[in-house]
Amino acid sequence: MFLRLLTEIPGQLLSVWLWMMDHLLYINLFLSIVIVFFQRRDPKAVWTWLLALYFVPIFGFLLYLLLCQDYRKNKMFRIKEVEDRLRYSVRTQEEAIWDREIRLHDMRYLEYENLVLYNLETSGAVLTADNQVEIFTDGKEKFKDLIHELEMAREYIHIQYYIIKNDRVFDEMIPVLKKKVQEGVQVRILYDGMGGRFMPARVWKDLKASGVKVGEFFPAILGRLQLRVNYRNHRKIVVIDGRVGYVGGFNIGREYISQDPKFGYWRDTHLKIRGSAVYSLQIRFALDWNYAAKENLFKEGRYFGLDESDHGKAPQANRPAPRTEPTAAPQNSRHVAVQIISSGPDASNRQIRNNYLQLFHKAKDHIYIQTPYFVPDDTILSALKMAAESGVDVRLMIPCKPDHPFVYWASYSYVGDLLAVGARCYTYENGFLHAKAVTADGLVACCGTANMDIRSFELNFEVNATIFDPETTRRLEQAFIKDLDHCQEVTKSQYEKRSMWIRAKEQCSRLLSPLL
């Protein structure tokens, strides 16, 4: 009986397939209606998916179901007890800003108060002004500093990365983490299911056996099957004892310390923060951890600088970090104003994208952008073009080599749009550029995990630090200017002479840009 069923299955499948081919017009019409009327998406993305459905019937719709789940109505990170506290904190700071009780330290920042209020209102990004910020552009230096801080941990270590690879970088961290657990330090590691897919299960099993808590964001099912492949947690956050936090572009892997011959030198940007902004990073980690590991960290006030007497207060407060053993002196000792902003497909508001947009509109002298992927939506592209046409010195730096070819050629296509209005564009030739940093007028910087592309704006879970400080912004701009020594400028005349083959790759990739 069983063997007979097996022999009959191919014939039945063939019959189903033939029936679908006979009724393909009606099936495509029905699936098109589903895409158009049941998903409130950007029209360009809808048209792209309709084209995919036309050229790859039925299978295009299966890809749509796999890649385009709508999380905006899914309150993934909602926790009632912390929502109330954050709402109180946001309302209190809003009133203080309107009453001029809180002001940025420089009169030049008056016009940025509405940006501060926007970030505060739309994502609960409380402004903290007691921070110190250190900048890392080299992976070896960043991980050397991180391991040093891990060794000094006394209470807890919270680590979150999009990619964690099983190579020498993580191998150097594992003994430190195990030692800390033995000393009574709580260690938690959160990684993305897609970014950590090549990590052997035995490594996580060994860490768990040693006492390290491990969480996986959007895990695969049935081994390696990813049903949410298009939505990734791209955040990179480390918080140690509430006294120091890290956020930026480096993941954990040998390429990030320039040890992968495919990429050569890896140029990235990462921030190390001391001060109350660390608690904002802690809240972001806790929300992601609670969702992935089903452990409510908000029940323990010590993670947010609170004790039992602070019950009911907002965990994210403008208060100094707890006293700990001294560490290496930061690059500056000034009080730096910082807002930690985050965005993701679960939110109706494209927070990081809109933050960039306001910075571009407010710029009067110059805008410097470093990003590995430049696939902006129409609004961002229009803002940059308008700035360039208004006399603002707009400069864009992208890699000279692709790690994702379609994204690279789409980026090169958009470079042409900027060159046409007088912006200056460069390709970084000294390895691979992975930095994600925007600076405006030497006053404000936005740096973190988000690329300047539609994927980061709408599909990935991201986190950035918006910094209102001329000294920190100046150091980021100095790094940009120093990188120009390793760049090739793409001129308008050079771009117009590109080959037909490059033009074809650009146009095909740009057509797919809403999906990239």
Side-chain angles (χ1 to χ4, degrees), residues 474-513:
R474 181 185 63 82
R475 286 189 278 116
L476 285 168
E477 291 187 345
Q478 284 178 337
F480 182 98
I481 293 169
K482 182 178 179 181
D483 288 333
L484 291 178
D485 293 337
H486 304 289
C487 287
Q488 177 70 43
E489 183 168 4
V490 182
T491 64
K492 184 178 179 181
S493 60
Q494 173 191 343
Y495 181 80
E496 290 173 346
K497 293 177 183 177
R498 67 199 188 284
S499 69
M500 289 300 298
W501 174 235
I502 291 178
R503 292 170 187 259
K505 288 191 288 186
E506 282 184 20
Q507 291 305 313
C508 290
S509 299
R510 185 158 178 160
L511 181 64
L512 295 173
S513 61

Side-chain angles (χ1 to χ4, degrees), residues 131-144:
N131 303 289
Q132 298 171 333
V133 178
E134 188 172 354
I135 301 168
F136 292 98
T137 60
D138 179 82
K140 293 180 181 178
E141 294 178 1
K142 180 259 181 177
F143 283 106
K144 179 181 178 181

Side-chain angles (χ1 to χ4, degrees), residues 19-37:
W19 181 88
M20 292 172 67
M21 292 299 100
D22 289 339
H23 299 82
L24 188 59
L25 176 63
Y26 302 104
I27 293 173
N28 266 2
L29 179 60
F30 172 75
L31 296 180
S32 299
I33 292 172
V34 172
I35 291 176
V36 172
F37 292 101

Side-chain angles (χ1 to χ4, degrees), residues 289-327:
W289 177 265
N290 293 349
Y291 174 80
K294 304 299 184 289
E295 179 189 9
N296 189 354
L297 299 185
F298 291 100
K299 292 182 178 179
E300 296 195 49
R302 65 191 180 94
Y303 291 137
F304 310 98
L306 303 174
D307 54 33
E308 292 301 321
S309 63
D310 292 321
H311 181 71
K313 294 183 181 179
Q316 187 179 17
N318 191 4
R319 63 181 72 194
R323 295 179 181 176
T324 56
E325 296 180 22
T327 59

Side-chain angles (χ1 to χ4, degrees), residues 260-310:
D260 189 338
K262 176 183 176 182
F263 296 105
Y265 182 72
W266 190 278
R267 166 66 174 88
D268 219 321
T269 299
H270 219 89
L271 305 179
K272 177 182 180 181
I273 301 174
R274 295 181 180 85
S276 295
V278 174
Y279 292 122
S280 299
L281 290 174
Q282 177 74 299
I283 286 176
R284 184 67 267 167
F285 172 87
L287 289 168
D288 287 356
W289 177 265
N290 293 349
Y291 174 80
K294 304 299 184 289
E295 179 189 9
N296 189 354
L297 299 185
F298 291 100
K299 292 182 178 179
E300 296 195 49
R302 65 191 180 94
Y303 291 137
F304 310 98
L306 303 174
D307 54 33
E308 292 301 321
S309 63
D310 292 321

